[in-house]
Amino acid sequence: MKVTDIISNSKQPFISFEILPPLKGKSIDSVYQILDPLMEFKPPFINVTYHRSEYIYKKMANGSYQKVVTRKRPGTVAICASIMNRYKVEAVPHLTCGGFTIEETEDALIDLQYIGVTNILAIRGDAVKSEASFIPEPGGHAYTVDLVRQMKRMNEGVYLEEDLVNAVKTDFCIGVGGYPEKHFEAPNFNTDLKHLKEKVDAGADYIVTQMFFDNQKFYDFVNACRAIGITVPIVPGLKPLTRKKQLTVLPRVFAVDIPEELERAVTKAKTEDEAERAGIEWAIQQSKDLVKNGVPCLHYYTMGQVQTITEIGRQVF
Ligand code: FAD
């Protein structure tokens, strides 16, 4: 079922999760160890992130360094197939512009259609560590709006080889990312919002937000979206803060603000356990407030924190 149908059919808010593929060398069991306990919340869909290859410098026996390509978290598509098979829920793979030519994107979309995936989160991807800013593959998409357009064309039966006759129309429900606190590269909030609207006008069916810790920023974002004519569902993405060092790491990596009240509570914690407790309490209150204000769904970035997410879920649902 499409995420948008799940949302419109649901009489009350529900919970969904995002997971990361395991690090290379680990077993699929590590995915099940995260998801098995979370199934008590009956998530109708589970997102699986995509991680492209990157360059690292490997120290060789003679002391020199060699530039090698590595992919730390492969397996997104196969994990989606395993999730659908084991839990009978929708799996939503993330598909990035980065790392793909448009031909490879088309092939990936065909693979996803063959395994029965109907929902995809279209995302640009960030710069790989060896690059100062995002660089598309030669012949790849520079912005997510172009990826959305390609998916939409395939939904209309138009492939890159335009002379294909009677080509099957795919039927992808397309999600895109939105940023209540502005994407870090955008010159200002309104320009970023304009680009978000372009993604929706190109065919995106729903929006999932970057994590945020101040609900007012989410409500303002939703109002701003509605004011410029974005009418699709907007799903809030949430991550509990669980370590003291995240007070600086999360703003740096995800360009989000930590509210002063949360910062104070975490800073005054004497142990990491106390800091985690403060983060969990914050996430519980944040989640309850979002539910009270009518969000369709709470989408948690699990990042392997099964117990934390379980505790929050039990308090909220
Ligand atoms: P875009 O929508 O392409 O926007 C990127 C920037 O370009 C923005 O500043 C925007 O304002 C600007 N822009 C957009 N269109 C134009 C245009 N036509 N002209 C000029 N400027 C423009 N990363 C991963 O690598 N793997 C994942 O699985 C993953 N999952 C994510 C899930 C969610 C819900 C979110 C919010 C992010 C995720 N990311 C993931 C991170 C994402 O790749 C980065 O945030 C990335 O920098 C931007 O992706 P985007 O799709 O929002 O890009």
Side-chain angles (χ1 to χ4, degrees):
M1 193 189 279
K2 293 182 176 180
V3 165
T4 45
D5 291 335
I6 294 171
I7 290 173
S8 57
N9 292 345
S10 177
K11 293 189 177 57
Q12 52 205 19
F14 59 86
I15 196 165
S16 63
F17 302 112
E18 176 194 281
I19 62 159
L20 277 63
L23 286 167
K24 190 184 284 183
K26 292 205 168 175
S27 122
I28 184 79
D29 288 340
S30 61
V31 170
Y32 302 148
Q33 278 157 16
I34 293 169
L35 290 179
D36 282 357
L38 294 176
M39 282 302 133
E40 75 170 80
F41 300 107
K42 299 189 171 42
F45 61 86
I46 293 163
N47 282 46
V48 185
T49 56
Y50 183 86
H51 303 262
R52 61 187 287 199
S53 305
E54 51 190 305
Y55 291 109
I56 56 161
Y57 287 90
K58 195 171 177 182
K59 194 167 187 187
M60 309 310 286
N62 65 3
S64 69
Y65 284 87
Q66 194 182 346
K67 194 176 176 186
V68 291
V69 181
T70 175
R71 190 144 172 243
K72 289 185 182 158
R73 295 181 185 272
T76 300
V77 176
I79 291 170
C80 285
S82 302
I83 287 174
M84 293 189 293
N85 185 39
R86 184 177 175 99
Y87 302 111
K88 314 293 179 221
V89 300
E90 297 295 338
V92 186
H94 295 191
L95 183 63
T96 58
C97 303
F100 290 84
T101 63
I102 55 171
E103 291 78 12
E104 288 164 345
T105 298
E106 184 172 275
D107 289 347
L109 289 166
I110 292 170
D111 283 348
L112 289 169
Q113 188 210 16
Y114 285 166
I115 65 164
V117 161
T118 46
N119 301 284
I120 295 175
L121 191 82
I123 272 301
R124 190 194 67 182
D126 279 323
V128 291
K129 286 200 182 89
S130 50
E131 294 168 356
S133 59
F134 176 79
I135 301 172
E137 288 298 299
H141 296 306
Y143 296 107
T144 302
V145 65
D146 302 314
L147 172 57
V148 173
R149 287 191 184 116
Q150 184 176 10
M151 294 168 75
K152 196 69 186 166
R153 278 197 300 275
M154 284 178 71
N155 277 354
E156 289 157 3
V158 181
Y159 290 63
L160 295 174
E161 288 165 43
E162 288 184 10
D163 50 356
L164 283 183
V165 180
N166 291 332
V168 166
K169 293 180 182 176
T170 56
D171 190 21
F172 293 121
C173 174
I174 308 168
V176 290
Y179 301 83
E181 298 179 58
K182 179 182 98 58
H183 183 259
F184 72 99
E185 289 169 20
N188 55 62
F189 181 81
N190 284 341
T191 300
D192 199 29
L193 211 58
K194 194 186 88 190
H195 292 311
L196 177 59
K197 181 151 190 312
E198 282 164 5
K199 291 193 277 192
V200 174
D201 290 345
D205 298 295
Y206 69 101
I207 295 164
V208 182
T209 76
Q210 181 58 280
M211 68 180 72
F212 57 91
F213 295 89
D214 178 351
N215 283 359
Q216 194 53 51
K217 292 194 170 159
F218 173 78
Y219 301 137
D220 292 346
F221 170 73
V222 173
N223 288 338
C225 286
R226 301 306 181 220
I228 62 161
I230 296 175
T231 57
V232 298
I234 301 177
V235 171
L238 296 165
K239 184 204 145 14
L241 191 150
T242 51
R243 316 280 302 166
K244 281 191 168 199
K245 70 174 185 200
Q246 289 175 347
L247 286 177
T248 50
V249 171
L250 297 178
R252 179 164 46 81
V253 176
F254 298 102
V256 293
D257 268 4
I258 309 292
E260 285 178 38
E261 197 185 333
L262 174 59
E263 183 206 343
R264 273 197 299 275
V266 173
T267 305
K268 85 169 185 218
K270 293 193 182 66
T271 62
E272 284 295 345
D273 281 353
E274 276 181 35
E276 182 178 23
R277 175 84 352 242
I280 290 175
E281 288 306 326
W282 187 272
I284 291 170
Q285 296 316 318
Q286 214 190 335
S287 303
K288 283 183 173 172
D289 181 70
L290 287 164
V291 168
K292 201 174 77 194
N293 281 282
V295 296
C297 158
L298 297 175
H299 185 69
Y300 290 99
Y301 300 120
T302 60
M303 297 189 181
Q305 299 170 323
V306 185
Q307 282 181 349
T308 309
I309 304 283
T310 303
E311 184 175 346
I312 296 164
R314 284 184 185 162
Q315 294 284 329
V316 178
F317 288 90

